[in-house]
Amino acid sequence: MSDWFARRARLAAQLPAGAVAVLATAPERRRNGDSDYPYRHDSSFYYLCGFPEPEAVLVIVAGQRPRSLLFCREKNAEREIWDGFRYGPEAAQTAFGVDEAYPIDDLDVHLAELLADAPALYLPLARDAALDARARGWLDSVRAQARKGVQAPAVLGDLTPLVEEMRLIKDAGELATMEQAGRISAQAHARAMRAVRPGMPEYALEAELLYEFRRHGAQAPAYPSIVAGGANACVLHYVANNALLRDGDLVLIDAGCELDGYASDITRTFPVNGRFSPAQRDLYELVLAAQAAAIATIAPGRRVAEVHEAALRVLTQGMLDLGLITHLVSLEQALEQRLYLPFYMHGTSHWLGMDVHDCGNYKDVHHSERPSRLLETGMVLTVEPGIYVRAAEGVPREFWNTGIRIEDDAAVTAHGARLLSAGAPKTVREIEDLMQHD
């Protein structure tokens, strides 16, 4: 509760005195018939109050002593028989540390009152069409009182960048949750390495991951799991997971759990039969070296773009050495001409947090030339170089249909990177020893 209170206070301190900020949680989504998708809250809403139910709105009134109001569903004994527990306003006020709590049906009346003579209204602009439309109704209600001397807010501000910059820097509690999510996901990857057999369908290996996530308390996968054998690993967002895993192929697994609202994101690539071929080993060691170079750049004061640049240099030199790039050029020329693109076409890092591709700018918004932003203690980012070799004329045949990615989650500390996903086997020896001993 103290974290939510402190976050709301920090947000209020960035707003003009008397300004009103409004943030709604995510709605329930219909899957089909009378069935909904499993409910998942809005990340920024949850970050500020921790309330897990749908049909809820958080209101913050800025000032020397800021106020927070929560609007949520009322207690309903009949609906709780069908759908489960509801906090209701009274219990929610105590449980989530808000100053006031009211039924969600009272939202419009209270907002019209709160916005009377308020200097500004802050919303996540153009993110929630229903909330945007509702806000227009509140403002119309206030404007209708103009002849009585009541003023509507003169400023309509965007709440999103303020909350997202807060979310980018994780506190100790957030980092602890993310590290536990990383441990669970690492165990799931190790389980998959032990379970894989030639002839197994990809989805059976996916089931091993899901079992491990859930049995350790994670609520869900943080994103659709990728289990890609052979040539499927050359498809970056492959999620069909319905092919058979073949003897002699590699399998790439990109999967992580969500624990208490926070994501993990790990990728490992390993041989279906437990042994890397010489060509597979060459490519794998190249990607592993690129990841090590990228991780070594992570420290406060370094630019986030340096992480990608470090990985890219190692990968491109390896492509030249292995004959994937056949042009007679230097490393600098290969980088300038982007000759690596057929084999490495994505970035090396993204922010990680409540969302798997978490919020926060990658550019320095305070610099006129908008360079890559500086890393700060408390940021968490992925480090995920890869190499993807499709069957193509001029490409050495021994590398065909091979996709390799190695991804870990790195927290920025005063001393460099601390890997939250270090428990997942990663070196060739670690992987082969685990797979041969099981």
Side-chain angles (χ1 to χ4, degrees), residues 153 216 318 344:
H216 288 292
Y344 184 52

Side-chain angles (χ1 to χ4, degrees), residues 94-424:
T94 301
F96 302 98
V98 292
D99 298 293
E100 303 168 36
Y102 301 100
I104 188 65
D105 292 342
D106 294 348
L107 178 66
D108 293 337
V109 172
H110 280 271
L111 261 295
E113 294 173 353
L114 290 169
L115 291 174
D117 296 322
L121 168 62
Y122 282 79
L123 302 164
L125 293 177
R127 300 284 183 116
D128 184 337
L131 186 62
D132 287 347
R134 206 162 186 178
R136 180 172 180 173
W138 305 331
L139 293 172
D140 286 345
S141 295
V142 179
R143 290 169 183 147
Q145 303 175 64
R147 292 185 181 182
K148 299 178 183 178
V150 177
Q151 297 295 311
V155 174
L156 186 61
D158 190 2
L159 193 62
T160 299
L162 302 178
V163 181
E164 291 190 346
E165 281 298 297
M166 290 173 60
R167 283 175 51 192
L168 182 57
I169 307 297
K170 276 65 179 179
D171 61 32
E174 292 177 286
L175 290 171
T177 300
M178 293 185 70
E179 189 161 22
Q180 177 62 9
R183 280 194 290 267
I184 294 170
S185 296
Q187 289 174 299
H189 280 266
R191 182 186 185 91
M193 292 176 191
R194 290 191 295 266
V196 69
R197 297 289 184 273
M200 173 186 286
E202 293 164 339
Y203 57 75
L205 206 54
E206 180 184 10
E208 300 287 342
L209 301 167
L210 298 175
Y211 174 78
E212 198 73 8
F213 291 166
R214 199 69 183 101
R215 84 184 189 99
H216 288 292
Q219 288 80 18
Y223 53 95
S225 300
I226 295 170
V227 181
N232 293 333
C234 295
V235 180
L236 298 183
H237 292 161
Y238 174 81
V239 292
N241 299 352
N242 59 7
L244 295 180
L245 297 168
R246 301 187 308 173
D247 192 359
D249 281 349
L250 298 178
V251 56
L252 182 157
I253 295 181
D254 187 337
C257 70
E258 178 175 293
L259 176 69
D260 298 338
Y262 287 84
S264 59
D265 188 2
I266 302 176
T267 305
R268 292 292 185 265
T269 309
F270 50 92
V272 172
N273 63 13
R275 290 289 184 190
F276 289 89
S277 72
Q280 290 168 349
R281 180 187 290 258
D282 286 343
L283 289 179
Y284 189 90
E285 295 284 12
L286 172 58
V287 177
L288 191 61
Q291 195 203 38
I295 291 170
T297 68
I298 296 174
R302 301 291 292 268
R303 301 274 178 190
V304 66
E306 293 181 60
V307 182
H308 178 63
E309 292 162 3
L312 195 56
R313 292 187 70 84
V314 174
L315 286 171
T316 305
Q317 183 63 62
M319 294 174 198
L320 288 164
D321 295 342
L322 294 172
L324 293 173
I325 296 177
T326 56
H327 298 64
L328 298 177
V329 295
S330 67
L331 172 60
E332 298 304 328
Q333 289 170 326
L335 289 167
E336 182 179 354
Q337 297 174 38
R338 305 177 77 190
L339 298 179
Y340 53 82
L341 275 179
F343 310 104
Y344 184 52
M345 63 294 293
H346 61 76
T348 303
S349 297
H350 58 77
W351 305 129
L352 183 70
M354 302 187 87
D355 301 336
V356 69
H357 285 252
D358 209 31
C359 55
N361 285 310
Y362 293 87
K363 300 289 187 179
D364 185 347
V365 297
H366 302 295
H367 195 287
S368 59
E369 297 179 1
R370 294 180 60 81
S372 170
R373 78 181 296 160
L374 297 173
L375 294 173
E376 301 176 46
T377 300
M379 292 177 172
V380 180
L381 66 159
T382 63
V383 186
E384 51 180 304
I387 195 162
Y388 313 92
V389 186
R390 296 163 181 80
E393 186 176 349
V395 175
R397 183 177 290 270
E398 63 266 28
F399 299 133
W400 282 12
N401 298 322
T402 302
I404 297 170
R405 185 164 62 253
I406 305 171
E407 178 181 19
D408 282 292
D409 306 337
V412 182
T413 76
H415 307 291
R418 179 166 64 90
L419 297 187
L420 307 180
S421 49

Side-chain angles (χ1 to χ4, degrees), residues 21-45:
V22 183
L23 185 61
T25 195
E28 294 177 293
R29 302 287 187 185
R30 182 60 51 88
R31 183 183 185 277
N32 65 306
D34 61 352
S35 296
D36 292 335
Y37 284 103
Y39 182 69
R40 207 280 187 178
H41 51 259
D42 174 82
S43 294
S44 290
F45 173 90

